[in-house]
């Protein structure tokens, strides 16, 4: 396990997380528009869009959870390399020092 694999797993999770948040924002916007009512033709279109956003949100949640599981595995493998480590606090930033 190297740092590149850990970074890749973190970036995959972050991308999935950001996409899920964006779709969730869009779904909430559509929910608010439907709740407010409005023109009948647009209401039907918004209802279809809301349904599609809900489906996408469910799919993205599953992808995010899968990416999070991979990140957790990568973190565990990385942690195994640091058998005995010291934790120090420098200006509020936590740092792991590998044991020699």
């Amino acid at each position: 396990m190297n740092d590149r694999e850990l970074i890749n797993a973190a970036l995959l999770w972050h991308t999935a997380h950001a996409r899920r948040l964006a779709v969730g924002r869009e779904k909430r916007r559509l929910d608010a528009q439907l709740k407010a009512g409005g023109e009948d033709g647009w209401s039907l279109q918004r209802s279809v869009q809301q349904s599609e956003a809900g489906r996408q949100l469910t799919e993205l949640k599953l992808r995010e959870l899968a990416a999070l599981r991979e990140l957790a595995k990568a973190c565990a493998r990385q942690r195994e390399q640091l058998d005995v480590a010291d934790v120090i606090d420098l200006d509020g930033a936590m740092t792991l020092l590998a044991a020699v």
Side-chain angles (χ1 to χ4, degrees):
M1 174 85 212
N2 59 27
D3 291 341
R4 185 176 299 257
E5 291 172 347
L6 183 61
I7 291 169
N8 184 46
L11 288 175
L12 286 174
W13 170 80
H14 185 268
T15 302
H17 180 70
R19 285 180 184 161
R20 182 187 58 83
L21 291 178
V23 170
R25 228 180 349 265
E26 178 66 14
K27 184 174 182 318
R28 284 190 300 278
R29 184 184 67 78
L30 291 168
D31 288 344
Q33 287 179 349
L34 280 173
K35 189 174 184 179
E39 300 175 20
D40 291 333
W42 287 107
S43 180
L44 178 60
Q45 183 181 4
R46 286 185 188 129
S47 179
V48 170
Q49 289 173 339
Q50 180 210 28
S51 176
E52 178 63 20
R55 186 195 61 73
Q56 287 178 348
L57 190 59
T58 301
E59 181 181 322
L60 288 171
K61 283 179 184 179
L62 294 174
R63 287 184 184 179
E64 182 183 1
L65 286 174
L68 186 58
R69 282 191 295 274
E70 288 300 315
L71 179 57
K73 288 177 188 176
C75 287
R77 287 191 300 264
Q78 184 72 13
R79 180 68 180 140
E80 288 172 359
Q81 292 179 0
L82 302 172
D83 293 327
V84 180
D86 293 326
V87 178
I88 60 171
D89 187 1
L90 300 173
D91 299 326
M94 298 296 286
T95 306
L96 279 175
L97 297 177
V100 183

